[in-house]
Amino acid sequence: MKKIHLLSILFFVALLPLTQLKAQEIIKKKGYTLSFESNFAELDPKLKKRLIESFFEVYPKLAKEYNPNTLKEVKFSVDTNYKGVAATSNGKVTFSSIWMVKHPEDIDVVTHEVMHIVQDYGRSVGPGWLTEGIADYVRSKFGVDNPGAKWTMPDLKPEHSYKNSYRITARFFTWIEKNVKSGTIKAVDASLRDHTYTSAIWTKLTGKDLDGLWADYVKNPQI
């Protein structure tokens, strides 16, 4: 009976879709642990190596700069079932196999996504555009190969707003850091993490509210 039961289990496993079978690898380095898994059989080993190397190059720097108490164990998953670009939740970054095949040069999707782990805002008291704007600001500052991905922050256009999020907001934040007050974005990030953030923090840090800062940015957007 035991033999029959074992054969039944093996037969069931053999019938599992390949997309459900994930090879896992655990890498420990610089005081951090990365668990890497993929259900994408055609994942380029060179791309996998770059994803892992980018994590260990960037994550410790972001932890030191923004949140030393961030998670020490992180999981990467390349998933054929995920249709976006990448997403992060509870210390796990899921990458779309489709996106990575089409854009293998976009390695700094790692930088953006692991910054979300470092941010650790929980049930954030801030708006979503701010969270994503900070993550792309960090990508622009700490990215390992943004030029290789042809990733840039777009020049200001009349239809832009600081609430557009991502790269548009990131460029505005870069302007604030260079032309208004260095350290502003780091302070805003910290306030989001400890849930003390209100829109008044911009005036407290820079002397102007967001609308006033944006108005100055529009007048002279050079960075």
Side-chain angles (χ1 to χ4, degrees):
M1 292 296 291
K2 289 183 178 179
K3 184 176 181 181
I4 294 174
H5 182 62
L6 178 59
L7 288 173
S8 298
I9 293 174
L10 291 173
F11 179 74
F12 174 76
V13 171
L15 290 178
L16 283 174
L18 290 176
T19 56
Q20 293 183 12
L21 300 178
K22 298 184 179 182
Q24 188 176 75
E25 180 179 352
I26 296 176
I27 309 100
K28 296 184 178 182
K29 190 176 179 181
K30 297 182 179 180
Y32 296 94
T33 299
L34 177 65
S35 174
F36 190 102
E37 65 181 26
S38 173
N39 62 12
F40 181 45
E42 290 78 31
L43 178 63
D44 186 342
K46 292 181 180 179
L47 176 56
K48 175 183 175 181
K49 184 171 183 281
R50 288 196 74 198
L51 289 169
I52 293 171
E53 288 177 346
S54 296
F55 170 79
F56 285 108
E57 179 175 347
V58 171
Y59 192 67
K61 293 178 183 177
L62 302 188
K64 181 179 180 180
E65 179 73 10
Y66 297 102
N67 181 13
N69 295 319
T70 190
L71 295 177
K72 295 296 188 287
E73 297 184 8
V74 173
K75 179 180 285 187
F76 278 9
S77 176
V78 179
D79 193 346
T80 58
N81 297 310
Y82 181 66
K83 306 306 179 185
V85 176
T88 299
S89 179
N90 298 320
K92 178 181 178 180
V93 182
T94 301
F95 301 93
S96 165
S97 61
I98 298 171
W99 178 265
M100 297 313 298
V101 166
K102 291 182 178 179
H103 305 278
E105 72 285 349
D106 189 21
I107 202 67
D108 280 302
V109 67
V110 169
T111 307
H112 178 102
E113 293 301 328
V114 299
M115 182 56 190
H116 284 321
I117 298 174
V118 173
Q119 285 174 310
D120 189 25
Y121 298 158
R123 299 185 69 176
S124 181
V125 295
W129 63 261
L130 182 52
T131 300
E132 298 297 344
I134 290 174
D136 259 4
Y137 162 76
V138 167
R139 171 174 177 160
S140 73
K141 185 176 180 181
F142 289 91
V144 297
D145 190 18
N146 286 317
K150 295 181 174 59
W151 186 95
T152 60
M153 295 180 292
D155 291 339
L156 178 67
K157 295 181 179 180
E159 64 269 23
H160 285 177
S161 162
Y162 59 80
K163 294 181 180 180
N164 285 148
S165 194
Y166 294 100
R167 293 184 294 165
I168 291 173
T169 304
R171 192 182 192 282
F172 175 48
F173 289 169
T174 301
W175 177 86
I176 290 174
E177 289 291 316
K178 291 185 176 182
N179 297 290
V180 182
K181 185 179 180 181
S182 177
T184 297
I185 305 308
K186 183 176 180 179
V188 170
D189 166 71
S191 75
L192 288 163
R193 191 160 34 258
D194 64 22
H195 289 192
T196 60
Y197 175 84
T198 68
S199 60
I201 193 173
W202 298 96
T203 303
K204 179 180 179 181
L205 292 171
T206 70
K208 292 190 177 183
D209 63 12
L210 276 168
D211 289 331
L213 289 166
W214 183 261
D216 289 346
Y217 173 59
V218 170
K219 292 175 185 176
N220 184 16
Q222 297 300 315
I223 58 174

